[in-house]
Amino acid sequence: VLVNNAGTDRFAFFVNTDEALWDFVLAVNLRGTIAVTHAVLDGMQRRGRGAIINVASEAGRVGSQGSAVYSAAKGGVIAFTRAIARESSRFGVRINAVAPGPIDTPLLNKRPVVPDAEARARMMKAEDIAQCVLFCAQLPHRVVVEELLVRPR
């Protein structure tokens, strides 16, 4: 089982960004997922089994103000997941994307408007997403959840 969970952002309106920010955010969020998947996928295919769970983001589906490049990167993770899933299912390798909404992590402290305690209390926690990833990893091999959208109540 491979879980691609690396993610970061540098919050800024797109017009206030530069290529260094683009390169950093894309490298961590998209290129890292591609590189690690490339390193393990051939072995999984040769063994005829395996599971890859890519942690994307709701921002990759709908966009997020102040996170245009992050949104693009996570949208890329979703598209990459779907493409590789189609290529790999015939080899017995299951590939899923988990796309959570806002999660209460220290990264939120870097947002232009930091959520207050009340807003954070309503957000999901990292352990909530870990349970979703575990769910995907433990599914019977004949079952695949292509994309799991996870939001707070």
Side-chain angles (χ1 to χ4, degrees), residues 3-152:
V3 178
N4 284 309
N5 188 43
T8 193
D9 196 3
R10 300 268 174 89
F11 301 102
F13 289 112
F14 183 69
V15 297
N16 298 324
T17 65
D18 57 25
E19 287 189 39
L21 180 144
W22 308 342
D23 291 343
F24 175 75
V25 173
L26 290 170
V28 173
N29 293 289
L30 180 57
R31 189 172 173 84
T33 295
I34 292 170
V36 177
T37 299
H38 189 267
V40 304
L41 186 57
D42 182 58
M44 288 181 174
Q45 289 178 345
R46 280 188 280 111
R47 283 188 299 279
R49 61 185 168 83
I52 298 173
I53 298 115
N54 294 325
V55 179
S57 172
E58 184 177 41
R61 298 178 44 77
V62 299
S64 181
Q65 181 175 284
S67 295
V69 179
Y70 174 84
S71 297
K74 291 300 189 172
V77 168
I78 292 167
F80 176 72
T81 300
R82 290 178 179 164
I84 298 304
R86 285 182 172 82
E87 292 180 11
S88 300
S89 65
R90 70 179 182 270
F91 296 103
V93 180
R94 185 178 61 232
I95 304 177
N96 314 82
V98 174
I103 303 168
D104 183 14
T105 68
L107 184 61
L108 294 180
N109 295 329
K110 296 181 180 182
R111 276 188 172 176
V113 177
V114 177
D116 62 20
E118 183 180 331
R120 286 187 125 147
R122 291 188 308 268
M123 290 180 181
M124 295 176 290
K125 308 299 180 215
E127 54 268 24
D128 301 327
I129 306 312
Q131 288 182 346
C132 295
V133 169
L134 183 61
F135 166 76
C136 289
Q138 293 178 333
L139 286 170
H141 205 66
R142 64 187 174 277
V143 177
V144 64
V145 175
E146 289 185 8
E147 186 175 357
L148 181 62
L149 305 176
V150 187
R151 296 186 180 103

